[in-house]
């Protein structure tokens, strides 16, 4: 499952309400889309910039005679084309802000078509959508599994590390570690982030930029 889909299910409870402020949810989803594209090799994160990879430096492109196969989903394809169209690479915060306004509905509607959520219209004056998970315990299950792995210091796969990073950046870390009475999970998470800092500094940069964007959005909302 794409990271964006997993993060969406993590942050929405059984009634379809987000566990986060709407802007925090959107920035987390925008960051997850960038991570999905980085994971498939369609973009590179470098010095706070988002760079579309060309046929020259994309292994799949070289193998296919210079043509890069498009991303697997329409959403990733659309975002990748947007990034490619820019004459100069834009920074991470610019892309987070550009993707955030529509990303929640885009991912929610995709999950609706996949049968993982039910799309409901809410509101009278200001109509909006709520995305109710078909499995109303989906968020709790994802959170519990990740929290248990952290508390027991189990080996995490890369998707787990990325999901934990997004949860931390958007303010969901406490939710995931709610039962971490000894602090072992928190300590393990810190060690994982230190490893990411050393081996993949640009991934940690994306987490940091996402956290800053969420913080600015929440402060602006409160003021």
């Amino acid at each position: 499952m794409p990271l964006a889909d997993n993060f969406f299910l993590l942050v929405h409870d059984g009634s379809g309400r987000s566990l986060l402020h709407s802007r925090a949810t959107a920035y987390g989803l925008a960051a997850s889309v960038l991570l999905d594209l980085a994971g498939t090799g369609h973009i590179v994160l470098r010095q706070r910039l988002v760079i579309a990879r060309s046929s020259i430096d994309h292994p799949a492109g070289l193998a296919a005679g210079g043509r890069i196969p498009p991303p697997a989903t329409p959403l990733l394809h659309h975002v990748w084309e947007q990034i490619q169209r820019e004459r100069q690479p834009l920074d991470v915060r610019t892309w987070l802000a550009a993707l955030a306004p529509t990303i929640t509905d885009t991912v929610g509607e995709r999950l609706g078509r996949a049968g993982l959520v039910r799309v409901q219209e809410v509101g009278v004056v200001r109509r909006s959508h709520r995305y109710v998970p078909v499995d109303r315990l989906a968020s709790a299950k994802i959170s519990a599994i990740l929290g248990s792995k952290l508390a027991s210091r189990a080996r995490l796969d890369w998707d787990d590390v990325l999901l934990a990073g997004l949860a931390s950046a958007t303010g969901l870390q406490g939710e995931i570690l709610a039962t971490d009475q000894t602090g072992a999970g928190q300590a393990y998470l810190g060690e994982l982030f230190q490893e990411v800092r050393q081996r993949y500094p640009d991934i940690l940069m994306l987490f940091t930029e996402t956290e800053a964007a969420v913080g600015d959005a929440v402060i602006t909302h409160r003021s």
Side-chain angles (χ1 to χ4, degrees):
M1 180 181 292
L3 182 62
D5 294 0
N6 239 347
F7 182 75
F8 188 100
L9 293 174
L10 173 65
V11 301
H12 287 87
D13 67 15
S15 67
R17 291 185 175 89
S18 177
L19 301 174
L20 298 169
H21 184 279
S22 60
R23 295 183 187 179
T25 299
Y27 280 125
L29 286 169
S32 67
V33 167
L34 294 179
L35 286 169
D36 278 331
L37 284 171
T40 59
H42 287 89
I43 65 169
V44 173
L45 302 171
R46 183 181 299 152
Q47 298 179 345
R48 301 183 184 276
L49 298 176
V50 178
I51 304 168
R53 297 189 79 175
S54 68
S55 301
I56 295 174
D57 60 7
H58 191 293
L62 293 173
R67 292 182 298 172
I68 302 175
T73 69
L75 170 58
L76 294 183
H77 195 173
H78 175 68
V79 174
W80 181 52
E81 287 184 332
Q82 283 184 278
I83 296 170
Q84 284 185 304
R85 283 197 294 267
E86 295 298 328
R87 293 186 177 182
Q88 297 292 331
L90 302 177
D91 60 75
V92 166
R93 288 288 290 273
T94 298
W95 280 114
L96 292 177
L99 297 173
T102 59
I103 195 67
T104 301
D105 284 336
T106 301
V107 177
E109 289 165 6
R110 178 173 73 185
L111 289 175
R113 291 191 295 272
L116 295 175
V117 302
R118 291 189 297 273
V119 184
Q120 296 180 350
E121 284 196 356
V122 294
V124 177
V125 178
R126 297 181 62 182
R127 306 293 290 178
S128 62
H129 293 101
R130 181 174 294 168
Y131 304 95
V132 181
V134 171
D135 178 359
R136 289 180 174 264
L137 296 178
S139 175
K141 289 176 181 176
I142 295 171
S143 181
I145 290 171
L146 185 54
S148 176
K149 287 181 178 180
L150 289 169
S152 63
R153 300 182 65 86
R155 183 177 180 83
L156 270 64
D157 61 31
W158 184 235
D159 284 345
D160 286 334
V161 174
L162 294 179
L163 190 60
L166 288 173
S168 181
T170 55
L172 264 183
Q173 183 172 322
E175 186 81 16
I176 290 173
L177 296 174
T179 60
D180 179 31
Q181 302 298 325
T182 66
Q186 181 65 53
Y188 186 35
L189 188 60
E191 293 171 20
L192 290 170
F193 287 165
Q194 184 60 34
E195 184 177 352
V196 173
R197 182 191 301 277
Q198 294 172 354
R199 298 181 61 187
Y200 309 103
D202 291 306
I203 297 296
L204 190 71
M205 173 274 298
L206 179 58
F207 293 153
T208 302
E209 291 294 295
T210 302
E211 183 175 15
V214 169
D216 288 349
V218 172
I219 289 173
T220 301
H221 174 74
R222 287 175 178 170
S223 60

